[in-house]
Amino acid sequence: MSEKKIIPPDSNTSPERKTNHHDELLLVNKRLAQQIEERKKRAAELIIANTELAYQNKEKEKRAAELVIANAELAYQNQEKENRAAELVIANRELAYQNNEKQKRADELSIANSELLFQNKEKEKRAAELVIANAELAYQNKEKEDRAAELVIANKELTFQNKEKEKRAAELVIANAELAYQNKEKEKRAAELLIANTELTFQNNEKEKRAAELVIANAELAYQNQEKEKRAAELLIANTELTFQNNEKEKRAAELILANNELQAFTYISSHHLQEPLRKIQVFSNRITTDEHQNLTEKGKYYFDRIEVAAFHMQALINDLLNYSRTSVTEKKFENIKVNDVINKVLEDLKTEINLKKAVIEISGDCSAYIIPSQFHQLIGNLISNSLKFSIKEKAPHITVESLYTKPKTKRNKSSTDYCHIIISDNGIGFDPQFESRVFEMFQQLNNKADYKGTGIGLAIAKKIIENHNGVITATGKLHHGAKFDIYIPVV
């Protein structure tokens, strides 16, 4: 826009015209004072935000320094504006551009912090998986050592039994020699025949007992040998299975590393390579509409408006895709939390939008469940935001959130486990019942995109979060009569 020149009043100008000019100048000064107050408030808010971010890293200190310089420059410009009313339009435009740049820097810093936090969580999860794998390997090694100790004990027992058999055989040889000696003695001593026969009968009985014991010992030895062979075969099978499991774990680990690398590449591309040119498109289109607005035709202005809308939609789509991908890789750390605590935090975050739409929200019941706090916060936030977004324009939104202990009555899950049943219903535009099975699919938008903007990923993220909790989510609705979502989360 061209600069406006202030032409000094002519000496021949009538007093009435001078008075009007004076009133206009006073009005301009009042507006300027209001804008200065607004800028002071904005500057104070920026200083607070920079103070909170200053401790995080050296980059934030640089950004804080830039912000202090910008504020000093803004104060200088305000003083200059008090003296130069003619430069008011140019100064305001420059200030708006600087504020946009500061907001972008703050957004980039927030994205970088979120990404750093996500990477730290991934590292912790990998370390936990490695600890579990090491513990399992140590347990398997201990089992192998126990099996080896059992085998050593069995071998010692077999050696002992073999020695016993050798002793019995030596005793049998001695007994035979003694029997021969006694027969010779019987030939010489006929008078001792009765005694010798009695003694021989006794010895024969003893021999039969020894022979029977030897047969039993041989049978027991054969049985023990068979048992040892079975143990050896079981040990061989166990070793083979353990080797197979180790190979499978190595394959799974390699596949997991590959999947994580691909996901990290996708996240990096989405957060850097895709968003960077998108930000440039938004910046340059904003500059053209700001600096060249008066040179554009009505059709050109319309086209640039459509560019800004498309860029905003693409930004929202990229962010939703990143949120959907992170629900699969985020560490699943469950905590026993009251559902109402999460709901109250979500309502606090959406307080501005709730007040803007004059929405009425009723909360009843109170049950606890083991949940992932961050993911469950995102789930409740998506559902309540949808209820606010898809409300009827002529009617204030009325949303009810109820939680109670129950057992699921769906066909897919008939478990006897207790569940926390969360019911979220509204009086919005609803949807046709024939689309109940499609509402949780990716990119499904059942309403007019011009009237209700969105990416069609929010409910898909909600379903993914419920699957991470081993739960069930269903949707029912009627066109122009609201929608209802039933969520079942296992209590334990």
Side-chain angles (χ1 to χ4, degrees):
M1 295 177 65
S2 60
E3 298 181 2
K4 293 182 180 180
K5 297 181 178 179
I6 299 175
I7 302 174
D10 189 53
S11 60
N12 299 326
T13 306
S14 63
E16 182 179 354
R17 186 173 183 182
K18 289 181 179 179
T19 302
N20 293 335
H21 181 71
H22 181 68
D23 293 339
E24 292 177 358
L25 187 57
L26 288 176
L27 182 61
V28 170
N29 287 333
K30 288 181 179 179
R31 291 179 180 174
L32 180 59
Q34 291 176 354
Q35 292 174 353
I36 289 171
E37 289 297 325
E38 289 295 323
R39 292 189 197 106
K40 288 180 179 178
K41 292 179 181 178
R42 297 288 176 80
E45 292 174 358
L46 287 174
I47 289 172
I48 293 171
N50 288 328
T51 303
E52 291 176 356
L53 294 173
Y55 76 95
Q56 292 179 356
N57 49 40
K58 294 181 180 180
E59 284 295 319
K60 294 178 184 176
E61 293 177 0
K62 294 180 182 178
R63 299 290 168 80
E66 293 174 2
L67 188 57
V68 172
I69 293 170
N71 289 329
E73 185 179 354
L74 179 60
Y76 172 75
Q77 289 175 355
N78 287 333
Q79 292 177 359
E80 288 297 317
K81 287 171 187 174
E82 291 175 358
N83 298 328
R84 298 174 183 136
E87 298 176 0
L88 181 60
V89 175
I90 297 173
N92 286 332
R93 185 182 305 157
E94 183 178 356
L95 179 60
Y97 174 74
Q98 290 176 355
N99 287 334
N100 289 334
E101 287 297 316
K102 290 169 189 171
Q103 186 63 37
K104 290 174 186 174
R105 293 289 174 82
D107 292 341
E108 291 174 358
L109 190 58
S110 177
I111 292 170
N113 289 331
S114 299
E115 185 175 356
L116 180 60
L117 180 61
F118 173 73
Q119 291 176 353
N120 289 334
K121 288 183 178 180
E122 285 296 312
K123 290 178 183 177
E124 292 175 1
K125 188 167 80 173
R126 295 291 180 280
E129 291 176 355
L130 186 58
V131 170
I132 293 171
N134 289 334
E136 185 176 355
L137 183 59
Y139 173 76
Q140 292 175 350
N141 290 333
K142 187 176 179 182
E143 287 294 316
K144 290 180 183 177
E145 292 175 359
D146 292 342
R147 293 291 176 84
E150 290 176 359
L151 189 59
V152 169
I153 293 170
N155 289 331
K156 288 181 178 180
E157 185 177 354
L158 180 61
T159 303
F160 174 75
Q161 291 177 353
N162 289 332
K163 288 181 179 180
E164 286 294 318
K165 290 177 183 178
E166 290 176 358
K167 289 180 181 179
R168 295 288 175 82
E171 290 176 358
L172 189 60
V173 170
I174 294 171
N176 290 330
E178 186 178 352
L179 180 61
Y181 173 77
Q182 289 174 358
N183 289 330
K184 289 180 181 179
E185 288 295 319
K186 289 173 186 177
E187 292 176 357
K188 294 178 181 179
R189 297 168 185 156
E192 298 176 359
L193 182 60
L194 182 60
I195 298 172
N197 287 333
T198 304
E199 185 177 355
L200 180 61
T201 302
F202 174 77
Q203 289 178 353
N204 287 332
N205 291 333
E206 288 294 318
K207 289 177 184 177
E208 290 176 358
K209 291 179 182 179
R210 295 286 175 85
E213 291 176 357
L214 187 60
V215 171
I216 294 171
N218 289 331
E220 185 177 355
L221 180 61
Y223 174 75
Q224 290 176 352
N225 288 333
Q226 290 179 356
E227 288 295 316
K228 290 174 184 176
E229 291 176 359
K230 289 180 182 179
R231 293 288 176 85
E234 290 175 358
L235 186 61
L236 181 61
I237 294 171
N239 289 332
T240 305
E241 185 176 356
L242 181 60
T243 303
F244 174 75
Q245 289 177 352
N246 289 333
N247 293 334
E248 286 296 314
K249 288 178 183 177
E250 291 176 358
K251 291 180 182 178
R252 294 290 174 81
E255 292 174 356
L256 185 61
I257 292 172
L258 181 61
N260 288 333
N261 291 337
E262 291 178 355
L263 185 58
Q264 288 178 358
F266 169 77
T267 304
Y268 181 81
I269 291 172
S270 299
S271 60
H272 294 82
H273 295 285
L274 291 179
Q275 296 197 34
E276 181 60 26
L278 181 60
R279 282 194 291 267
K280 289 182 179 178
I281 291 172
Q282 292 174 329
V283 169
F284 288 120
S285 64
N286 183 48
R287 287 186 180 178
I288 291 174
T289 54
T290 303
D291 299 338
E292 303 294 334
H293 189 269
Q294 73 279 7
N295 298 327
L296 295 175
T297 63
E298 291 299 325
K299 185 178 288 187
K301 295 175 184 178
Y302 171 77
Y303 288 154
F304 271 101
D305 289 340
R306 299 308 300 167
I307 289 173
E308 290 181 347
V309 171
F312 177 79
H313 180 72
M314 187 174 180
Q315 181 76 50
L317 187 63
I318 291 173
N319 291 335
D320 285 347
L321 285 172
L322 285 173
N323 290 332
Y324 182 80
S325 64
R326 284 169 183 163
T327 56
S328 299
V329 299
T330 304
E331 182 181 2
K332 298 179 180 179
K333 186 177 180 181
F334 290 85
E335 297 180 14
N336 189 9
I337 296 177
K338 288 186 176 181
V339 173
N340 281 359
D341 292 344
V342 180
I343 296 172
N344 290 329
K345 290 181 182 178
V346 171
L347 295 181
E348 185 66 25
D349 294 341
L350 299 175
K351 185 176 181 181
T352 302
E353 189 174 355
I354 292 171
N355 293 335
L356 183 63
K357 292 208 170 188
K358 298 179 180 179
V360 177
I361 300 180
E362 295 181 3
I363 302 174
S364 62
D366 187 14
C367 63
S368 301
Y370 282 89
I371 59 178
I372 306 170
S374 59
Q375 290 192 10
F376 207 77
H377 185 280
Q378 184 179 6
L379 165 70
I380 300 298
N382 283 357
L383 294 179
I384 295 180
S385 296
N386 277 357
S387 295
L388 294 172
K389 181 193 300 182
F390 298 108
S391 59
I392 299 174
K393 295 181 180 179
E394 301 81 9
K395 187 187 299 184
H398 184 251
I399 305 169
T400 61
V401 183
E402 182 181 4
S403 59
L404 52 104
Y405 293 105
T406 184
K407 298 184 186 299
K409 299 179 181 179
T410 60
K411 295 180 179 179
R412 294 167 53 191
N413 194 335
K414 296 183 179 180
S415 173
S416 60
T417 306
D418 287 336
Y419 278 67
C420 178
H421 183 195
I422 304 169
I423 306 166
I424 301 177
S425 58
D426 58 54
N427 62 340
I429 62 173
F431 57 88
D432 196 319
Q434 64 177 328
F435 299 123
E436 289 181 358
S437 61
R438 291 174 48 192
V439 293
F440 297 108
E441 296 179 3
M442 291 281 285
F443 307 113
Q444 288 296 325
Q445 292 178 264
L446 306 179
N447 301 287
N448 190 346
K449 294 182 180 180
D451 297 334
Y452 302 96
K453 296 180 180 180
T455 59
I457 303 177
L459 290 181
I461 294 174
K463 183 180 180 182
K464 189 67 177 177
I465 291 172
I466 292 299
E467 290 176 352
N468 289 344
H469 287 77
N470 297 321
V472 178
I473 182 170
T474 60
T476 55
K478 188 176 181 181
L479 203 58
H480 305 302
H481 287 80
K484 185 179 79 168
F485 293 89
D486 290 279
I487 302 169
Y488 296 91
I489 299 296
V491 174
V492 293

PDB file of all heavy atoms in Angstrom, residues 185-208:
ATOM      1  N   GLU A 185      35.609-130.475  50.065  1.00  0.00           N
ATOM      2  CA  GLU A 185      35.590-130.775  51.483  1.00  0.00           C
ATOM      3  C   GLU A 185      34.496-131.787  51.807  1.00  0.00           C
ATOM      4  O   GLU A 185      34.648-132.635  52.695  1.00  0.00           O
ATOM      5  CB  GLU A 185      35.349-129.481  52.283  1.00  0.00           C
ATOM      6  CG  GLU A 185      36.536-128.542  52.305  1.00  0.00           C
ATOM      7  CD  GLU A 185      37.727-129.135  53.022  1.00  0.00           C
ATOM      8  OE1 GLU A 185      37.537-129.783  54.064  1.00  0.00           O
ATOM      9  OE2 GLU A 185      38.863-128.950  52.529  1.00  0.00           O
ATOM     10  N   LYS A 186      33.345-131.717  51.090  1.00  0.00           N
ATOM     11  CA  LYS A 186      32.254-132.669  51.316  1.00  0.00           C
ATOM     12  C   LYS A 186      32.665-134.105  50.945  1.00  0.00           C
ATOM     13  O   LYS A 186      32.192-135.071  51.571  1.00  0.00           O
ATOM     14  CB  LYS A 186      31.025-132.254  50.497  1.00  0.00           C
ATOM     15  CG  LYS A 186      30.351-131.017  51.041  1.00  0.00           C
ATOM     16  CD  LYS A 186      29.259-130.551  50.104  1.00  0.00           C
ATOM     17  CE  LYS A 186      28.679-129.231  50.571  1.00  0.00           C
ATOM     18  NZ  LYS A 186      27.668-128.709  49.663  1.00  0.00           N
ATOM     19  N   GLU A 187      33.466-134.233  49.903  1.00  0.00           N
ATOM     20  CA  GLU A 187      33.942-135.587  49.520  1.00  0.00           C
ATOM     21  C   GLU A 187      34.817-136.192  50.632  1.00  0.00           C
ATOM     22  O   GLU A 187      34.800-137.393  50.859  1.00  0.00           O
ATOM     23  CB  GLU A 187      34.724-135.491  48.213  1.00  0.00           C
ATOM     24  CG  GLU A 187      33.852-135.139  47.032  1.00  0.00           C
ATOM     25  CD  GLU A 187      34.647-134.950  45.757  1.00  0.00           C
ATOM     26  OE1 GLU A 187      35.903-135.035  45.799  1.00  0.00           O
ATOM     27  OE2 GLU A 187      34.029-134.678  44.700  1.00  0.00           O
ATOM     28  N   LYS A 188      35.571-135.295  51.250  1.00  0.00           N
ATOM     29  CA  LYS A 188      36.447-135.760  52.319  1.00  0.00           C
ATOM     30  C   LYS A 188      35.674-135.978  53.603  1.00  0.00           C
ATOM     31  O   LYS A 188      36.027-136.803  54.418  1.00  0.00           O
ATOM     32  CB  LYS A 188      37.566-134.755  52.563  1.00  0.00           C
ATOM     33  CG  LYS A 188      38.520-134.628  51.379  1.00  0.00           C
ATOM     34  CD  LYS A 188      39.573-133.573  51.668  1.00  0.00           C
ATOM     35  CE  LYS A 188      40.535-133.408  50.500  1.00  0.00           C
ATOM     36  NZ  LYS A 188      41.540-132.372  50.769  1.00  0.00           N
ATOM     37  N   ARG A 189      34.675-135.211  53.789  1.00  0.00           N
ATOM     38  CA  ARG A 189      33.967-135.255  55.074  1.00  0.00           C
ATOM     39  C   ARG A 189      32.531-135.696  54.835  1.00  0.00           C
ATOM     40  O   ARG A 189      31.631-134.873  54.715  1.00  0.00           O
ATOM     41  CB  ARG A 189      33.976-133.902  55.732  1.00  0.00           C
ATOM     42  CG  ARG A 189      35.409-133.459  56.066  1.00  0.00           C
ATOM     43  CD  ARG A 189      35.435-131.999  56.443  1.00  0.00           C
ATOM     44  NE  ARG A 189      36.819-131.564  56.650  1.00  0.00           N
ATOM     45  CZ  ARG A 189      37.220-130.342  56.544  1.00  0.00           C
ATOM     46  NH1 ARG A 189      36.354-129.407  56.239  1.00  0.00           N
ATOM     47  NH2 ARG A 189      38.488-130.046  56.762  1.00  0.00           N
ATOM     48  N   ALA A 190      32.328-136.978  54.749  1.00  0.00           N
ATOM     49  CA  ALA A 190      30.999-137.532  54.539  1.00  0.00           C
ATOM     50  C   ALA A 190      30.130-137.318  55.758  1.00  0.00           C
ATOM     51  O   ALA A 190      28.899-137.165  55.656  1.00  0.00           O
ATOM     52  CB  ALA A 190      31.092-139.012  54.222  1.00  0.00           C
ATOM     53  N   ALA A 191      30.824-137.275  56.898  1.00  0.00           N
ATOM     54  CA  ALA A 191      30.073-137.105  58.134  1.00  0.00           C
ATOM     55  C   ALA A 191      29.431-135.725  58.194  1.00  0.00           C
ATOM     56  O   ALA A 191      28.411-135.515  58.868  1.00  0.00           O
ATOM     57  CB  ALA A 191      30.977-137.317  59.331  1.00  0.00           C
ATOM     58  N   GLU A 192      30.034-134.789  57.470  1.00  0.00           N
ATOM     59  CA  GLU A 192      29.525-133.420  57.515  1.00  0.00           C
ATOM     60  C   GLU A 192      28.552-133.135  56.349  1.00  0.00           C
ATOM     61  O   GLU A 192      28.269-131.968  56.029  1.00  0.00           O
ATOM     62  CB  GLU A 192      30.678-132.410  57.452  1.00  0.00           C
ATOM     63  CG  GLU A 192      31.628-132.548  58.634  1.00  0.00           C
ATOM     64  CD  GLU A 192      32.823-131.605  58.518  1.00  0.00           C
ATOM     65  OE1 GLU A 192      32.885-130.865  57.482  1.00  0.00           O
ATOM     66  OE2 GLU A 192      33.656-131.558  59.418  1.00  0.00           O
ATOM     67  N   LEU A 193      28.061-134.230  55.697  1.00  0.00           N
ATOM     68  CA  LEU A 193      27.233-134.053  54.502  1.00  0.00           C
ATOM     69  C   LEU A 193      25.940-133.308  54.805  1.00  0.00           C
ATOM     70  O   LEU A 193      25.528-132.411  54.055  1.00  0.00           O
ATOM     71  CB  LEU A 193      26.897-135.429  53.899  1.00  0.00           C
ATOM     72  CG  LEU A 193      26.059-135.393  52.613  1.00  0.00           C
ATOM     73  CD1 LEU A 193      26.784-134.627  51.519  1.00  0.00           C
ATOM     74  CD2 LEU A 193      25.749-136.815  52.152  1.00  0.00           C
ATOM     75  N   LEU A 194      25.288-133.670  55.912  1.00  0.00           N
ATOM     76  CA  LEU A 194      24.010-133.023  56.225  1.00  0.00           C
ATOM     77  C   LEU A 194      24.198-131.518  56.448  1.00  0.00           C
ATOM     78  O   LEU A 194      23.437-130.674  55.927  1.00  0.00           O
ATOM     79  CB  LEU A 194      23.397-133.676  57.457  1.00  0.00           C
ATOM     80  CG  LEU A 194      22.032-133.133  57.888  1.00  0.00           C
ATOM     81  CD1 LEU A 194      21.001-133.306  56.775  1.00  0.00           C
ATOM     82  CD2 LEU A 194      21.554-133.811  59.165  1.00  0.00           C
ATOM     83  N   ILE A 195      25.272-131.237  57.239  1.00  0.00           N
ATOM     84  CA  ILE A 195      25.536-129.809  57.516  1.00  0.00           C
ATOM     85  C   ILE A 195      25.885-129.069  56.233  1.00  0.00           C
ATOM     86  O   ILE A 195      25.439-127.949  55.974  1.00  0.00           O
ATOM     87  CB  ILE A 195      26.658-129.677  58.557  1.00  0.00           C
ATOM     88  CG1 ILE A 195      26.229-130.336  59.878  1.00  0.00           C
ATOM     89  CG2 ILE A 195      27.007-128.213  58.786  1.00  0.00           C
ATOM     90  CD1 ILE A 195      27.344-130.427  60.914  1.00  0.00           C
ATOM     91  N   ALA A 196      26.713-129.748  55.386  1.00  0.00           N
ATOM     92  CA  ALA A 196      27.140-129.118  54.140  1.00  0.00           C
ATOM     93  C   ALA A 196      25.957-128.885  53.214  1.00  0.00           C
ATOM     94  O   ALA A 196      25.843-127.842  52.542  1.00  0.00           O
ATOM     95  CB  ALA A 196      28.192-129.966  53.451  1.00  0.00           C
ATOM     96  N   ASN A 197      25.038-129.914  53.158  1.00  0.00           N
ATOM     97  CA  ASN A 197      23.856-129.735  52.285  1.00  0.00           C
ATOM     98  C   ASN A 197      22.978-128.576  52.764  1.00  0.00           C
ATOM     99  O   ASN A 197      22.434-127.792  51.964  1.00  0.00           O
ATOM    100  CB  ASN A 197      23.047-131.025  52.264  1.00  0.00           C
ATOM    101  CG  ASN A 197      23.742-132.128  51.450  1.00  0.00           C
ATOM    102  OD1 ASN A 197      24.503-131.827  50.533  1.00  0.00           O
ATOM    103  ND2 ASN A 197      23.508-133.377  51.791  1.00  0.00           N
ATOM    104  N   THR A 198      22.843-128.564  54.113  1.00  0.00           N
ATOM    105  CA  THR A 198      22.034-127.448  54.653  1.00  0.00           C
ATOM    106  C   THR A 198      22.661-126.091  54.299  1.00  0.00           C
ATOM    107  O   THR A 198      21.982-125.146  53.864  1.00  0.00           O
ATOM    108  CB  THR A 198      21.911-127.590  56.167  1.00  0.00           C
ATOM    109  OG1 THR A 198      21.345-128.877  56.480  1.00  0.00           O
ATOM    110  CG2 THR A 198      21.040-126.484  56.747  1.00  0.00           C
ATOM    111  N   GLU A 199      24.000-126.069  54.484  1.00  0.00           N
ATOM    112  CA  GLU A 199      24.686-124.813  54.172  1.00  0.00           C
ATOM    113  C   GLU A 199      24.614-124.492  52.683  1.00  0.00           C
ATOM    114  O   GLU A 199      24.445-123.345  52.275  1.00  0.00           O
ATOM    115  CB  GLU A 199      26.141-124.917  54.630  1.00  0.00           C
ATOM    116  CG  GLU A 199      26.909-123.601  54.444  1.00  0.00           C
ATOM    117  CD  GLU A 199      28.336-123.722  54.974  1.00  0.00           C
ATOM    118  OE1 GLU A 199      28.682-124.763  55.562  1.00  0.00           O
ATOM    119  OE2 GLU A 199      29.092-122.748  54.801  1.00  0.00           O
ATOM    120  N   LEU A 200      24.711-125.571  51.837  1.00  0.00           N
ATOM    121  CA  LEU A 200      24.647-125.356  50.393  1.00  0.00           C
ATOM    122  C   LEU A 200      23.281-124.830  49.980  1.00  0.00           C
ATOM    123  O   LEU A 200      23.165-123.942  49.126  1.00  0.00           O
ATOM    124  CB  LEU A 200      24.949-126.685  49.689  1.00  0.00           C
ATOM    125  CG  LEU A 200      24.926-126.641  48.150  1.00  0.00           C
ATOM    126  CD1 LEU A 200      25.975-125.662  47.631  1.00  0.00           C
ATOM    127  CD2 LEU A 200      25.179-128.044  47.589  1.00  0.00           C
ATOM    128  N   THR A 201      22.219-125.431  50.617  1.00  0.00           N
ATOM    129  CA  THR A 201      20.865-124.965  50.285  1.00  0.00           C
ATOM    130  C   THR A 201      20.704-123.473  50.623  1.00  0.00           C
ATOM    131  O   THR A 201      20.121-122.684  49.859  1.00  0.00           O
ATOM    132  CB  THR A 201      19.835-125.799  51.058  1.00  0.00           C
ATOM    133  OG1 THR A 201      19.992-127.187  50.734  1.00  0.00           O
ATOM    134  CG2 THR A 201      18.423-125.341  50.742  1.00  0.00           C
ATOM    135  N   PHE A 202      21.259-123.176  51.821  1.00  0.00           N
ATOM    136  CA  PHE A 202      21.180-121.772  52.224  1.00  0.00           C
ATOM    137  C   PHE A 202      21.916-120.870  51.245  1.00  0.00           C
ATOM    138  O   PHE A 202      21.421-119.795  50.843  1.00  0.00           O
ATOM    139  CB  PHE A 202      21.743-121.631  53.639  1.00  0.00           C
ATOM    140  CG  PHE A 202      21.832-120.201  54.096  1.00  0.00           C
ATOM    141  CD1 PHE A 202      20.679-119.529  54.504  1.00  0.00           C
ATOM    142  CD2 PHE A 202      23.049-119.529  54.112  1.00  0.00           C
ATOM    143  CE1 PHE A 202      20.770-118.214  54.919  1.00  0.00           C
ATOM    144  CE2 PHE A 202      23.117-118.213  54.516  1.00  0.00           C
ATOM    145  CZ  PHE A 202      21.974-117.534  54.930  1.00  0.00           C
ATOM    146  N   GLN A 203      23.106-121.298  50.841  1.00  0.00           N
ATOM    147  CA  GLN A 203      23.886-120.485  49.908  1.00  0.00           C
ATOM    148  C   GLN A 203      23.204-120.364  48.546  1.00  0.00           C
ATOM    149  O   GLN A 203      23.250-119.322  47.901  1.00  0.00           O
ATOM    150  CB  GLN A 203      25.292-121.092  49.744  1.00  0.00           C
ATOM    151  CG  GLN A 203      26.161-120.926  50.981  1.00  0.00           C
ATOM    152  CD  GLN A 203      27.524-121.583  50.819  1.00  0.00           C
ATOM    153  OE1 GLN A 203      27.771-122.291  49.818  1.00  0.00           O
ATOM    154  NE2 GLN A 203      28.393-121.404  51.818  1.00  0.00           N
ATOM    155  N   ASN A 204      22.553-121.500  48.120  1.00  0.00           N
ATOM    156  CA  ASN A 204      21.829-121.434  46.846  1.00  0.00           C
ATOM    157  C   ASN A 204      20.682-120.419  46.905  1.00  0.00           C
ATOM    158  O   ASN A 204      20.418-119.675  45.947  1.00  0.00           O
ATOM    159  CB  ASN A 204      21.292-122.821  46.487  1.00  0.00           C
ATOM    160  CG  ASN A 204      22.409-123.755  46.038  1.00  0.00           C
ATOM    161  OD1 ASN A 204      23.435-123.298  45.507  1.00  0.00           O
ATOM    162  ND2 ASN A 204      22.246-125.048  46.262  1.00  0.00           N
ATOM    163  N   ASN A 205      20.008-120.454  48.067  1.00  0.00           N
ATOM    164  CA  ASN A 205      18.929-119.460  48.226  1.00  0.00           C
ATOM    165  C   ASN A 205      19.478-118.035  48.149  1.00  0.00           C
ATOM    166  O   ASN A 205      18.870-117.144  47.535  1.00  0.00           O
ATOM    167  CB  ASN A 205      18.212-119.685  49.553  1.00  0.00           C
ATOM    168  CG  ASN A 205      17.400-120.980  49.566  1.00  0.00           C
ATOM    169  OD1 ASN A 205      16.959-121.451  48.505  1.00  0.00           O
ATOM    170  ND2 ASN A 205      17.198-121.559  50.742  1.00  0.00           N
ATOM    171  N   GLU A 206      20.633-117.872  48.811  1.00  0.00           N
ATOM    172  CA  GLU A 206      21.246-116.537  48.778  1.00  0.00           C
ATOM    173  C   GLU A 206      21.641-116.161  47.351  1.00  0.00           C
ATOM    174  O   GLU A 206      21.476-115.009  46.925  1.00  0.00           O
ATOM    175  CB  GLU A 206      22.471-116.495  49.687  1.00  0.00           C
ATOM    176  CG  GLU A 206      22.139-116.515  51.173  1.00  0.00           C
ATOM    177  CD  GLU A 206      21.412-115.254  51.580  1.00  0.00           C
ATOM    178  OE1 GLU A 206      21.813-114.154  51.125  1.00  0.00           O
ATOM    179  OE2 GLU A 206      20.416-115.335  52.323  1.00  0.00           O
ATOM    180  N   LYS A 207      22.147-117.135  46.611  1.00  0.00           N
ATOM    181  CA  LYS A 207      22.544-116.865  45.228  1.00  0.00           C
ATOM    182  C   LYS A 207      21.341-116.488  44.365  1.00  0.00           C
ATOM    183  O   LYS A 207      21.406-115.618  43.505  1.00  0.00           O
ATOM    184  CB  LYS A 207      23.259-118.094  44.643  1.00  0.00           C
ATOM    185  CG  LYS A 207      24.643-118.319  45.221  1.00  0.00           C
ATOM    186  CD  LYS A 207      25.259-119.586  44.663  1.00  0.00           C
ATOM    187  CE  LYS A 207      26.599-119.881  45.308  1.00  0.00           C
ATOM    188  NZ  LYS A 207      27.180-121.156  44.815  1.00  0.00           N
ATOM    189  N   GLU A 208      20.241-117.221  44.614  1.00  0.00           N
ATOM    190  CA  GLU A 208      19.033-116.896  43.845  1.00  0.00           C
ATOM    191  C   GLU A 208      18.566-115.470  44.154  1.00  0.00           C
ATOM    192  O   GLU A 208      18.133-114.727  43.265  1.00  0.00           O
ATOM    193  CB  GLU A 208      17.930-117.914  44.179  1.00  0.00           C
ATOM    194  CG  GLU A 208      18.223-119.307  43.615  1.00  0.00           C
ATOM    195  CD  GLU A 208      17.169-120.328  44.034  1.00  0.00           C
ATOM    196  OE1 GLU A 208      16.240-119.901  44.796  1.00  0.00           O
ATOM    197  OE2 GLU A 208      17.244-121.475  43.595  1.00  0.00           O
TER     198      GLU A 208
END
